[in-house]
């Protein structure tokens, strides 16, 4: 291949809007090729697919203000302190102003984000799907179901529960998959069950798997089952 179409740009998702414009003009206007893409489209593709499966559209049912309104924040697949430092500082400030705010960090590593964690679940890499499927089973078995919300706004509950039971039938099986003490997992599940305003914030550690879409849905399903979505201080983010 020769000429303009022999050239392609794959640029960063960290560019500012103005930088994207300059790169696009350089590629399309000067070089004369439309072959420009960014990793920002790829890195969130699992989240997009999971949200479309759950909601019918690429919709994030929450906002950053929910971080200050939550009683429980669950960080999974994200070293927020390094990768999203502005949001991390918002949580630090929220926790300082609201001592009852609980933060759970789910990460195989002990990162800087664990500095504000009340509970750090150092799971086996790749086992978060078992953790959240187990949470769905736990919530269902302990009758933590928002029946009016589920009846009016959701479908497929029994099928979702059946699949989750195949992956994570009990806390003991989750503990085995995640290489954690069963008591730590039960502590996390109880925190989720007992706090109405829960924000589950997830990032690339959830998205960047061959089954990343299923992992996204395993988190969203826990919010749909409990109706903890679409109201201030709660939802998957």
């Amino acid at each position: 291949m020769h000429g303009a179409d022999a050239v392609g740009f794959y640029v960063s998702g960290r560019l500012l809007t103005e930088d994207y414009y300059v790169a696009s003009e350089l590629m399309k206007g000067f070089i004369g090729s439309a072959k420009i893409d960014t990793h920002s489209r790829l890195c969130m593709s699992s989240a997009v697919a999971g949200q479309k499966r759950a909601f019918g559209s690429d919709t994030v049912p929450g906002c950053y203000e929910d971080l200050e309104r939550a009683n429980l924040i669950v960080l999974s697949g994200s070293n927020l302190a390094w990768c999203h430092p502005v949001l991390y500082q918002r949580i630090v400030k929220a926790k300082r102003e609201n001592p009852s705010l609980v933060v759970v960090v789910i990460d195989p590593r002990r990162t800087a984000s664990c500095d504000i964690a009340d509970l750090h679940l150092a799971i086996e890499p790749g086992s978060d799907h078992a953790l959240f499927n187990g949470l769905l089973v736990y919530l269902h078995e302990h009758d933590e179901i928002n029946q009016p919300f589920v009846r009016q706004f959701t479908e497929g509950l029994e099928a979702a529960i059946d699949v989750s039971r195949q992956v994570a039938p009990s806390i003991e099986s989750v503990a085995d998959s995640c290489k954690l003490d069963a008591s730590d997992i039960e502590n996390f599940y109880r925190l989720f069950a007992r706090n109405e305003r829960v924000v589950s914030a997830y990032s690339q550690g959830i998205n960047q798997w061959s089954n990343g879409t299923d992992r996204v849905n395993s988190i969203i399903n826990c919010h749909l089952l409990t109706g903890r979505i679409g109201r201030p201080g709660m939802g998957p983010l």
Side-chain angles (χ1 to χ4, degrees), residues 75-236:
L75 301 177
S76 53
S78 171
N79 181 8
L80 204 70
W82 286 6
C83 300
H84 301 95
V86 175
L87 291 184
Y88 177 75
Q89 290 302 321
R90 285 184 71 154
I91 296 176
V92 170
K93 183 173 182 289
K95 194 167 174 59
R96 186 168 58 246
E97 295 176 351
N98 176 19
S100 65
L101 172 62
V102 176
V103 176
V104 176
V105 173
I106 302 168
D107 196 315
R109 309 160 299 168
R110 181 167 186 85
T111 67
S113 298
C114 295
D115 291 347
I116 60 169
D118 299 279
L119 176 63
H120 173 214
L121 297 178
I123 61 172
E124 180 77 2
S127 65
D128 37 65
H129 69 296
L131 184 68
F132 284 103
N133 277 288
L135 175 58
L136 189 71
V137 172
Y138 178 91
L139 294 169
H140 186 264
E141 290 181 347
H142 287 76
D143 200 27
E144 297 289 343
I145 307 169
N146 187 323
Q147 295 286 1
F149 180 89
V150 170
R151 284 196 302 268
Q152 187 171 356
F153 298 112
T154 72
E155 58 184 30
L157 170 60
E158 294 307 321
I161 295 297
D162 288 345
V163 170
S164 294
R165 282 204 180 103
Q166 294 175 28
V167 176
S170 66
I171 287 179
E172 289 72 22
S173 70
V174 175
D176 185 60
S177 297
C178 296
K179 301 296 186 290
L180 292 173
D181 290 338
S183 59
D184 288 334
I185 293 170
E186 187 169 14
N187 185 18
F188 168 51
Y189 288 178
R190 285 178 175 173
L191 284 170
F192 196 103
R194 293 175 180 177
N195 284 280
E196 178 72 7
R197 297 198 300 274
V198 181
V199 171
S200 298
Y202 60 91
S203 191
Q204 305 309 334
I206 296 294
N207 299 332
Q208 294 298 303
W209 291 87
S210 58
N211 60 349
T213 301
D214 292 334
R215 294 169 189 265
V216 168
N217 283 121
S218 72
I219 296 172
I220 293 174
N221 284 344
C222 295
H223 284 269
L224 292 176
L225 182 74
T226 55
R228 291 170 184 164
I229 190 168
R231 289 181 285 146
M234 63 185 73

